[in-house]
Amino acid sequence: MKLKPESIKNIDVLYWADVMDEYERLLMNRYRKEGLLDRILIMWFADAIAYSNKREEIIQRFLESCYEDKELVIISHSWGTIIALDIIHTFKLTNAILFTIASPLPLYVAKFPSREHLASVFTFEITKPKKWINIYYKEDIFAFPLKDYGAEDYELSSRCLLCKLPVIKRFKSHGEYFQDKRIKEIIAKNI
């Protein structure tokens, strides 16, 4: 099934990355890290720190959009999957269809198991959406299956053409999802 632009109505994008950009730039400049691995690790930790400090701003963006009364299809990638799950849990959005792509949820749970305002979101007692599809590359070091949390998993193999060495593929594949036609097909099939 192909999604045609005329069949999609009322698409809204809830953008949050600008909140994280400042933290990432500060860390990159302060420690002058430029390698791929360094950048990925700094982005991961900067996002975690920024979200714990800027969560209310992101929640406010959601409220201003009045999404809670609409049927939602949420497509999230990487750290955005944590934010999407937090919003679903906070507003009890059981009518949502959630796509998590390259989710690091188990890393987040292991790293921050007792954050007071976030802890309940990342247990097995989270609010589950109407449908939850999780897509991940088995090679992606930051992506995991989430069936234990209630998701339907799609494990794929990365098609990263520049990744001849397995160690490079483990990190590089995390940014390759949006060029993969298989992911678009999985999303179209499940909407």
Side-chain angles (χ1 to χ4, degrees), residues 173-191:
S173 63
H174 192 72
E176 300 292 318
Y177 291 89
F178 293 107
Q179 291 81 36
D180 192 329
K181 290 180 182 178
R182 297 172 298 171
I183 293 171
K184 294 173 188 169
E185 291 168 4
I186 291 168
I187 291 170
K189 181 177 83 171
N190 285 285
I191 291 183

Side-chain angles (χ1 to χ4, degrees), residues 157-180:
S157 186
S158 171
R159 293 183 174 169
C160 178
L161 300 175
L162 302 174
C163 305
K164 300 294 183 208
L165 296 173
V167 70
I168 302 283
K169 191 175 242 185
R170 298 277 292 155
F171 290 97
K172 182 84 170 111
S173 63
H174 192 72
E176 300 292 318
Y177 291 89
F178 293 107
Q179 291 81 36
D180 192 329

Side-chain angles (χ1 to χ4, degrees), residues 13-164:
V13 175
L14 179 62
Y15 186 72
W16 58 269
D18 58 319
V19 174
M20 313 305 174
D21 289 345
E22 178 184 349
Y23 287 85
E24 290 175 15
R25 271 194 310 278
L26 287 171
L27 285 171
M28 295 289 182
N29 291 335
R30 182 173 183 176
Y31 298 106
R32 305 206 192 298
K33 299 292 185 180
E34 297 176 10
L36 176 64
L37 177 57
D38 293 328
R39 294 184 66 79
I40 289 171
L41 292 174
I42 285 174
M43 287 174 8
W44 163 260
F45 288 109
D47 282 351
I49 293 164
Y51 189 58
S52 66
N53 289 307
K54 298 285 192 168
R55 178 181 181 267
E56 295 308 315
E57 184 178 327
I58 292 170
I59 296 294
Q60 188 58 41
R61 287 183 187 186
F62 182 82
L63 285 173
E64 288 169 2
S65 299
C66 299
Y67 288 116
E68 66 260 55
D69 293 333
K70 299 177 184 176
E71 183 176 55
L72 296 173
V73 175
I74 301 171
I75 301 171
S76 56
H77 174 261
S78 192
W79 193 261
T81 67
I82 306 297
I83 294 171
L85 286 162
D86 190 6
I87 287 174
I88 286 170
H89 181 75
T90 299
F91 296 103
K92 307 297 182 226
L93 299 174
T94 56
N95 64 334
I97 298 172
L98 174 63
F99 294 91
T100 50
I101 301 169
S103 181
L105 180 63
L107 288 178
Y108 186 82
V109 172
K111 180 70 179 149
F112 301 105
S114 61
R115 291 290 298 182
E116 198 172 297
H117 63 285
L118 298 176
S120 64
V121 178
F122 305 107
T123 67
F124 289 96
E125 303 302 320
I126 63 176
T127 300
K128 291 186 180 61
K130 176 171 66 177
K131 186 182 236 185
W132 181 0
I133 305 297
N134 180 54
I135 305 167
Y136 66 98
Y137 292 143
K138 62 183 176 182
E139 299 88 357
D140 185 348
I141 196 165
F142 294 109
F144 294 89
L146 300 179
K147 68 179 178 217
D148 290 343
Y149 294 88
E152 179 184 342
D153 286 325
Y154 284 81
E155 180 185 86
L156 303 175
S157 186
S158 171
R159 293 183 174 169
C160 178
L161 300 175
L162 302 174
C163 305
K164 300 294 183 208

